[in-house]
Amino acid sequence: MKFYPYKRLNRPITLRVTSASLKLPDNTRDHLDTSAFSVPQRTVALGVAQYDDWVSARIGISATLPPGSVADDAPWSDLRVLAMLTDGETNVRTVVDLRQDAPGSKEWSGAVELIRDEHVGRATLSAQAVATVDDVRGRSIAETDDDWTVDVTADEPLGGLRLDVKQLGFAKSSRTWLHAYSDVPWIVDASGRVPAVLVNTDIEGFSDLLDAESGGIENKVHELLVSQMSTDVWTAVFHSAVGDLEIEPDGSPVFPTDWRGEVLREMLPDVMPGVHVEEALRRVHRRRTGDAGWVELQTRVHYAAVRRAGASKALSQALRALQQLNRGDKA
């Protein structure tokens, strides 16, 4: 634990990557799909576009300061928020100033430029807030405690929201609460430190199908099942996150600092499109705790979950495999 001889914020900065694009040799820019970065895994995979000759990458970022950072009676002034990209292998360090989204907002955003020739593997992206405290300039008052990784060669950001899968028989489990669900294939448990999927081994043949690695139709069904599980997980963790929000004195909800906050930041743009995530969280909170609008919002929540689970891709691959199998049977 570190001790500072001046006042600081007692919570970390929340950092999120919001976009990624590559500058190509002909000076055009390819804006990468959101599959290039994963909020829960805090990773950007710049190899997703399969370019070998890109010149630089621009990483869009958003930083949220903890409550109290911009209060009128805060014991600091000249507040700045810096984003830092550090590569331990090449000793390159890039620092950029982020801009405050609006006067009095805790949200700061900007972009950092990564030069391809200056990086060979992975770089670390972090943020720090500095201010004048007790007449001393440049003092650190907060920083990120969960940094991002920017990988210049990886073609996937570690697979999105990882599933903690546990296989057990529900009917005779020592977790007696599972007995009531003995006739279902899986249950999502979002009550722990990380979300988990409990797979019911009492369903004959189900575990074998989940473990399928044959590459045939069984594998496509396996991927379809995993995407459905992922959809259930994303839906469950969203509801878990919005159902237990800390509220500031003015009634504004606060983003959780653990995986729940990351899930909200990733899903809210699809749940409340066209609205900044801070305002989106306020609107979702009002609908959940108010008299109307919460039921209607469930369609958007499900849409956001399906997108992140890759359900459409898994379904199309399974259908393609079935069509090929049917053509083979008729030949």
Side-chain angles (χ1 to χ4, degrees):
M1 179 180 292
K2 293 181 179 180
F3 295 92
Y4 297 85
Y6 57 89
K7 291 185 177 181
R8 285 171 38 95
L9 292 163
N10 57 10
R11 293 187 182 182
I13 297 173
T14 300
L15 183 66
R16 183 175 186 265
V17 168
T18 57
S19 65
S21 64
L22 299 178
K23 183 179 179 182
L24 305 180
D26 60 359
N27 285 327
T28 60
R29 188 167 290 276
D30 185 4
H31 295 274
L32 303 183
D33 187 76
T34 54
S35 61
F37 51 92
S38 167
V39 174
Q41 299 304 322
R42 311 188 72 76
T43 301
V44 182
L46 295 177
V48 68
Q50 302 294 312
Y51 290 111
D52 294 324
D53 56 351
W54 56 274
V55 178
S56 64
R58 181 176 298 160
I59 311 297
I61 47 185
S62 174
T64 304
L65 299 190
S69 57
V70 292
D72 293 337
D73 57 351
W76 45 73
S77 60
D78 307 320
L79 179 63
R80 297 171 63 197
V81 180
L82 309 173
M84 294 163 287
L85 186 69
T86 307
D87 192 321
E89 292 189 60
T90 60
N91 292 322
V92 171
R93 189 167 185 258
T94 305
V95 181
V96 297
D97 271 282
L98 302 183
R99 63 184 180 277
Q100 192 174 22
D101 288 359
S105 174
K106 299 191 297 293
E107 297 287 332
W108 298 63
S109 58
V112 60
E113 200 81 14
L114 180 150
I115 307 302
R116 180 64 181 91
D117 290 342
E118 296 179 348
H119 300 272
V120 295
R122 291 184 162 197
T124 299
L125 183 62
S126 60
Q128 186 174 44
V130 298
T132 299
V133 187
D134 297 335
D135 297 324
V136 179
R137 297 180 61 189
R139 280 183 158 173
S140 173
I141 62 169
E143 56 278 316
T144 48
D145 61 359
D146 287 320
D147 299 334
W148 278 69
T149 296
V150 181
D151 195 315
V152 299
T153 59
D155 58 7
E156 62 173 320
L158 303 181
L161 181 65
R162 288 181 175 177
L163 301 184
D164 179 15
V165 179
K166 295 181 174 64
Q167 298 192 20
L168 65 163
F170 286 11
K172 298 180 180 179
S173 173
S174 59
R175 308 182 189 193
T176 56
W177 63 272
L178 284 174
H179 297 175
Y181 307 106
S182 59
D183 60 338
V184 298
W186 68 78
I187 285 289
V188 178
D189 181 9
S191 63
R193 294 183 63 251
V194 294
V197 178
L198 307 181
V199 174
N200 189 2
T201 57
D202 294 334
I203 306 296
E204 186 176 355
F206 186 51
S207 294
D208 294 336
L209 188 58
L210 285 179
D211 295 334
E213 296 181 355
S214 64
I217 186 63
E218 293 86 358
N219 183 256
K220 300 305 179 185
V221 175
H222 159 87
E223 293 175 357
L224 191 60
L225 285 171
V226 170
S227 72
Q228 180 58 57
M229 288 181 178
S230 298
T231 300
D232 289 351
V233 170
W234 280 105
T235 303
V237 296
F238 181 87
H239 285 283
S240 174
V242 298
D244 190 26
L245 292 171
E246 182 180 345
I247 307 300
E248 293 193 76
D250 64 358
S252 299
V254 178
F255 274 100
T257 57
D258 59 3
W259 58 265
R260 292 174 177 83
E262 304 302 342
V263 164
L264 289 175
R265 291 180 181 281
E266 178 138 346
M267 293 183 70
L268 282 172
D270 280 329
V271 176
M272 284 284 178
V275 180
H276 195 279
V277 289
E278 204 171 34
E279 174 61 23
L281 183 61
R282 285 193 287 266
R283 294 188 184 185
V284 169
H285 176 67
R286 284 197 297 268
R287 289 201 183 191
R288 192 187 70 82
T289 58
D291 296 330
W294 178 240
V295 174
E296 291 80 359
L297 200 63
Q298 300 313 301
T299 300
R300 299 296 312 183
V301 173
H302 184 258
Y303 168 71
V306 168
R307 284 196 64 194
R308 272 141 195 84
S312 296
K313 179 180 178 181
L315 178 60
S316 63
Q317 290 177 341
L319 291 174
R320 193 177 302 115
L322 282 173
Q323 291 170 352
Q324 292 174 349
L325 184 63
N326 289 334
R327 286 196 294 268
D329 291 339
K330 294 177 181 178

